[in-house]
Amino acid sequence: MDDKIVLTGIKPTGMPHIGNYIGALKPLIDLSQNHKTFMFIADLHALNAMHDAKEIKQHTYEEAALVIAAGMNMENTILFRQSDINEIYQLTEFLMNVTPKGLMNRAHSYKALVEKNTESNIDVDSGVNMGLYTYPILMAADILLYNSDIVPVGKDQKQHVEFARDIAGYFNNIYGETFKLPEPIIGEEIGLIPGLDGRKMSKSYDNTIPLFAPSNELKKKIMRIITDSKTPEEPKNPDESTIFLLYKQFASESETEEFRQMFLKGGMGYGTAKTMLFEKIDSALSKQRAEYDRLMANPNEIEEILQRGAEQARRIANRTIAKVKKKMLGL
Ligand code: ADP
Ligand code: TRP
């Protein structure tokens, strides 16, 4: 067991796709095997754009069920809902006072909106609420509250983790050594998982395969994968085939090699290859999918897990707030 503390937050946005699973969730599952891991559903972070409470709550259960079912090591993981920890609101307020406004002006997501507004000749801050503007401070509070060392995130979140380091530094400069400086680790961009149309699998291209799609939906999606027009007899290049590239994510080395040879030799039509891919993914994910469905049918069980996690998270959060209050207010 490594003694570094891993922490990450997931926004409650609904079922991820197979690309998210391979690129983001699986590396986290691996880290949780030998690290103490804090993982929370970032419902407060959803608030700047989502205003439907029921939807946030439902997606929170989905994300939590997903994390549990997908195989996080729950012995090592403290799973909780961000908003259940009152100390997060406290630390955010404290950190506001050491964070320069200029830092927030530099945040990519805010800057992107300002640029869009400028191009459209409307007020630069149109559509920007303070939740969005101060988003990186809340995220710094998430990271610093639990003494995190390592923060695995996607590329788009790297700047936020760097801001958390900066904010920790500002605080330490004024009040003396208090916070550890967290390190981002960024999911590797290699081996991007292709989607149904061969481009990167992405929500924005509408070419995704949902991770826990029911068998019949999974099959339909896989049958829609775009291929070239080679006849069954012709040899095919596996490394250019979405079917092969997806297959190898779920198959053993020897199965992958066998499948590769079937492509190279010729004599296998794409229909057959798709059926093999469907069977592979369907069986590889069936246990996790069944556990996900079971949990979603028992939201009380999910809530209990989240509450147990919150209790543990609060114990650490309490200590951080006591330290900060003492340094900032002498209390
Ligand atoms: P999308 O492109 O569907 O909007 P996100 O940008 O929300 O996906 O991705 C969340 C995380 O999932 C990213 O940090 C990235 O690591 C991973 N990811 C997304 N799409 C892929 C993909 N096609 N292949 C590998 N990893 C991916
Ligand atoms: N902002 C992240 C996202 O949009 C989610 C998140 C919130 C997070 N707090 C965090 C990630 C703390 C890592 C650490 O995906």
Side-chain angles (χ1 to χ4, degrees):
M1 189 91 167
D2 190 320
D3 57 8
K4 293 227 156 94
I5 296 174
V6 173
L7 170 137
T8 202
I10 311 178
K11 273 209 291 194
T13 49
M15 179 56 73
H17 53 71
I18 282 181
N20 300 142
Y21 171 66
I22 304 286
L25 194 51
K26 231 162 145 245
L28 270 174
I29 291 173
D30 293 344
L31 271 174
S32 77
Q33 303 309 335
N34 57 357
H35 289 86
K36 175 148 193 196
T37 304
F38 287 80
M39 182 172 249
F40 58 91
I41 316 303
D43 56 347
L44 295 174
H45 273 102
L47 281 178
N48 72 65
M50 284 170 81
H51 297 142
D52 182 337
K54 254 169 81 185
E55 196 184 344
I56 294 180
K57 187 174 178 195
Q58 178 66 14
H59 282 333
T60 297
Y61 285 148
E62 288 166 9
E63 300 288 353
L66 175 89
V67 163
I68 303 163
M72 283 292 286
N73 182 328
M74 295 305 289
E75 296 272 299
N76 298 339
T77 303
I78 299 180
L79 175 68
F80 59 102
R81 182 196 274 120
Q82 183 185 29
S83 64
D84 279 337
I85 313 297
N86 284 334
E87 287 79 359
I88 194 64
Y89 310 93
Q90 294 178 277
L91 187 58
T92 304
E93 174 63 24
F94 287 131
L95 295 181
M96 292 272 178
N97 295 287
V98 299
T99 305
K101 176 166 178 283
L103 191 70
M104 298 300 100
N105 291 341
R106 294 213 310 272
H108 297 321
S109 46
Y110 169 66
K111 260 174 63 182
L113 260 177
V114 166
E115 275 162 31
K116 209 170 116 210
N117 288 338
T118 310
E119 275 167 27
S120 319
N121 270 326
I122 50 179
D123 185 88
V124 287
D125 281 330
S126 175
V128 179
N129 59 40
M130 289 305 285
L132 184 131
Y133 188 64
T134 59
Y135 187 102
I137 308 181
L138 176 59
M139 185 153 156
D142 287 331
I143 294 171
L144 302 179
L145 191 54
Y146 308 102
N147 309 314
S148 323
D149 296 290
I150 302 177
V151 186
V153 282
K155 214 172 48 182
D156 63 321
Q157 297 294 315
K158 178 167 182 249
Q159 187 196 38
H160 291 149
V161 183
E162 288 163 356
F163 280 4
R165 278 178 79 91
D166 293 341
I167 293 172
Y170 296 134
F171 190 101
N172 291 350
N173 265 338
I174 304 173
Y175 295 105
E177 213 45 41
T178 308
F179 291 116
K180 285 198 257 188
L181 302 189
E183 293 274 352
I185 35 173
I186 310 304
E188 294 190 34
E189 284 297 304
I190 46 152
L192 276 183
I193 308 302
L196 301 178
D197 58 0
R199 291 186 290 175
K200 165 189 186 264
M201 189 179 288
S202 170
K203 281 191 292 284
S204 15
Y205 296 147
D206 196 19
N207 64 355
T208 65
I209 302 177
L211 180 59
F212 293 146
S215 280
N216 52 355
E217 188 188 331
L218 179 63
K219 188 163 197 174
K220 260 199 228 145
K221 293 261 178 196
I222 289 176
M223 292 303 160
R224 272 181 38 207
I225 292 176
I226 293 174
T227 59
D228 58 28
S229 52
K230 289 207 167 77
T231 62
E233 292 71 38
E234 284 178 85
K236 302 168 181 67
N237 181 350
D239 297 311
E240 281 175 3
S241 165
T242 303
I243 303 171
F244 179 77
L245 295 174
L246 286 173
Y247 185 91
K248 80 176 191 192
Q249 297 297 335
F250 294 92
S252 68
E253 260 179 51
S254 62
E255 287 167 333
T256 302
E257 191 44 40
E258 219 175 290
F259 203 43
R260 172 186 288 284
Q261 292 310 325
M262 290 168 77
F263 271 77
L264 293 173
K265 267 205 327 261
M268 172 181 67
Y270 284 124
T272 309
K274 285 179 180 177
T275 302
M276 284 181 68
L277 173 64
F278 161 69
E279 280 164 5
K280 178 55 44 200
I281 299 187
D282 194 50
S283 66
L285 293 178
S286 71
K287 245 175 86 190
Q288 291 158 297
R289 186 174 52 202
E291 175 63 359
Y292 176 82
D293 292 342
R294 189 191 71 76
L295 284 164
M296 285 310 291
N298 293 287
N300 290 343
E301 188 177 330
I302 305 175
E303 190 60 50
E304 266 167 38
I305 295 172
L306 291 175
Q307 291 313 316
R308 236 182 292 137
E311 238 167 75
Q312 292 173 281
R314 246 176 244 129
R315 278 202 282 273
I316 320 281
N318 257 321
R319 276 185 241 146
T320 307
I321 290 298
K323 235 177 6 184
V324 170
K325 263 189 157 170
K326 187 149 198 230
K327 297 212 175 180
M328 290 187 94
L329 298 168
L331 297 173

